Amino acid sequence: MTRMSIFACSLLLFAQPVFAITVGEAVDTALKNNPDLQSVRLEKETAQGRLDQAGLLLRSNPVIEGSLSRKDTLPDGGEKAKNYEVRLSQEFELAGQRGLRVDAAKSGREKVLLDIRDKERVLIAAVKDAFARALAAKRKIALAEEAVKLQEELVASAAVKFQTGDISALEQNLADVELGKSRRDRMLAEREQREVLLGLQALLGLKPSLNFSVEGELPSETPVIPEKDKMLVSVAQQRSDVQSAAAEVQQAKAAMKLAGREAIPSVTVSGFYNHDTWLNEAGVMLSFPLPFFDRKQADRKEAAAKAGQALIKQASLGRAIDRELEEAHANLAAAAEELSLFKKDVLGKAMENLSLMNLAFKEGKFGFFEVRLAQKDTIDAQFAYLESQVRLQLALNAWEKATGGSQK
């Protein structure tokens, strides 16, 4: 008794509680801890730094120069005199480059913020997909357990009937073989669950733990299929990648205008003071480079090419979204119809047939092979129904991802 108490206490001390998480908690955790998303969010500081730099009143710093010299006051030498000069220069832009530079930087920052939101959209969809597969893996283990219990009951019944001579040794051996297959399927389901949970924890930015679990339900009712045409109008307002492409076009246009203005030279204003032996001199100088050779030709071509690329990318994204919505809508409709058919015509009848077959087998009205076939059909139907639930959840996730908002 004492040893049993010590053993029980040890189990309580070393047992670790299972940490179960819902899909909402999983999404919140991923948005907070996912390392890839955290890395992308740092780009916001870089974009803000570029905007701060572009907003400086003067792009270049003032330059101060000075000189000090000694010279003879007479041709053949004699008394020495000291001369010194101080010059202060500042470059000024004349064509409004600062405003265009600020516009380009603002569009760049807006694009970065929208790209971060788009990464969040993609991550949320990935987390929900992984969570659905984790729920399915959990349910597969439960179904595998049920299959093992059914086969154990069949093996027990087959052993009794073999003793009474109602079935042959071949039929009893087949029952043992099916039991072994069911136990193997249970082991495979457990391994699949471990792999799926480890993948989900990686998305959430959590350390791998065998005590991690999920809780929730896969869809069991068919949702209302939304009208695809109505969603096309709102996608441009909801999807962050569409807005990011628009911001990139604005940034490229501002950069193209800036490159054209950069061809206009800046003026440098200098103030100087010169002290000589017999006089002091002060004045202002202006310097203006002549754009004979370098007129920013390469910069303007590069900016125009990037603007063209941004427009092409924006148009291509629009076509890709149309295809994505078409595919997501078709998959959602097909998955909803599949789940409805399983619930209505397959699953319930398969369970009813199995119950009747088991009762008839015990009463000797059906043989071993008929019962084994009914069991196999029922188990297959349950697994197929589970797969249809997963497909529907993945289709819902894909539709939410494609539209940029939650499915209502």
Side-chain angles (χ1 to χ4, degrees), residues 69-345:
S69 63
R70 297 179 63 188
K71 66 178 182 180
D72 297 332
T73 57
L74 298 174
D76 56 350
E79 185 179 353
K80 304 290 184 180
K82 292 182 179 181
N83 300 324
Y84 59 85
E85 180 181 6
V86 178
R87 184 185 301 270
L88 181 64
S89 304
Q90 177 64 57
E91 183 180 10
F92 295 93
E93 295 176 320
L94 301 178
Q97 292 95 328
R98 176 181 175 273
L100 292 173
R101 196 176 297 115
V102 170
D103 291 341
K106 284 183 178 179
S107 297
R109 184 187 62 174
E110 182 67 16
K111 180 183 182 303
V112 168
L113 295 177
L114 291 168
D115 286 342
I116 293 173
R117 284 176 51 192
D118 194 56
K119 293 289 185 182
E120 292 174 350
R121 176 184 68 91
V122 174
L123 176 62
I124 289 172
V127 169
K128 289 186 175 181
D129 285 352
F131 196 90
R133 294 188 178 95
L135 288 176
K138 184 179 180 180
R139 178 58 181 156
K140 280 183 181 179
I141 293 178
L143 291 177
E145 290 283 357
E146 293 179 12
V148 169
K149 289 180 181 179
L150 285 174
Q151 294 298 335
E152 288 175 345
E153 292 176 1
L154 184 59
V155 167
S157 298
V160 173
K161 288 184 174 295
F162 176 73
Q163 294 296 329
T164 60
D166 294 333
I167 63 173
S168 64
L170 174 61
E171 291 174 317
Q172 185 184 24
N173 289 338
L174 285 175
D176 293 333
V177 170
E178 292 299 325
L179 177 59
K181 289 181 179 179
S182 299
R183 288 172 175 169
R184 183 204 62 182
D185 291 340
R186 181 178 60 185
M187 292 177 59
L188 292 176
E190 291 172 348
R191 184 179 70 179
E192 180 182 353
Q193 185 189 42
R194 288 193 298 270
E195 293 174 353
V196 171
L197 289 179
L198 288 174
L200 178 58
Q201 290 176 81
L203 277 177
L204 303 186
L206 300 177
K207 294 181 179 179
S209 173
L210 297 178
N211 296 313
F212 177 83
S213 181
V214 295
E215 63 179 24
E217 297 293 336
L218 291 168
S220 58
E221 301 294 335
T222 55
V224 177
I225 305 301
E227 295 185 21
K228 178 185 59 179
D229 296 335
K230 290 184 178 181
M231 294 303 302
L232 288 173
V233 180
S234 60
V235 164
Q237 300 175 353
Q238 296 182 12
R239 282 192 52 154
S240 47
D241 55 345
V242 175
Q243 300 171 12
S244 174
E248 184 176 2
V249 170
Q250 294 300 321
Q251 181 185 18
K253 289 181 177 179
M256 186 170 62
K257 290 181 181 179
L258 176 61
R261 297 286 181 87
E262 291 282 4
I264 301 175
S266 301
V267 62
T268 301
V269 180
S270 303
F272 65 90
Y273 174 78
N274 184 16
H275 173 74
D276 203 343
T277 306
W278 296 283
L279 55 87
N280 295 323
E281 181 183 12
V284 177
M285 292 180 58
L286 298 178
S287 62
F288 190 87
L290 300 178
F292 286 160
F293 307 108
D294 182 11
R295 296 188 297 275
K296 304 295 181 181
Q297 301 94 323
D299 292 343
R300 284 185 287 174
K301 287 182 179 180
E302 181 181 357
K306 288 184 177 180
Q309 289 174 344
L311 289 171
I312 293 173
K313 180 180 177 181
Q314 186 181 37
S316 177
L317 179 61
R319 293 190 294 269
I321 289 176
D322 291 342
R323 292 192 300 269
E324 186 178 351
L325 281 173
E326 185 75 32
E327 182 180 2
H329 190 270
N331 291 339
L332 179 58
E337 183 179 3
E338 179 185 355
L339 183 69
S340 178
L341 289 174
F342 261 104
K343 289 190 64 177
K344 181 180 178 182
D345 300 329

Side-chain angles (χ1 to χ4, degrees), residues 42-55:
L42 293 177
E43 295 179 7
K44 179 172 62 176
E45 302 300 326
T46 303
Q48 183 61 47
R50 287 194 289 265
L51 178 58
D52 294 341
Q53 180 67 28

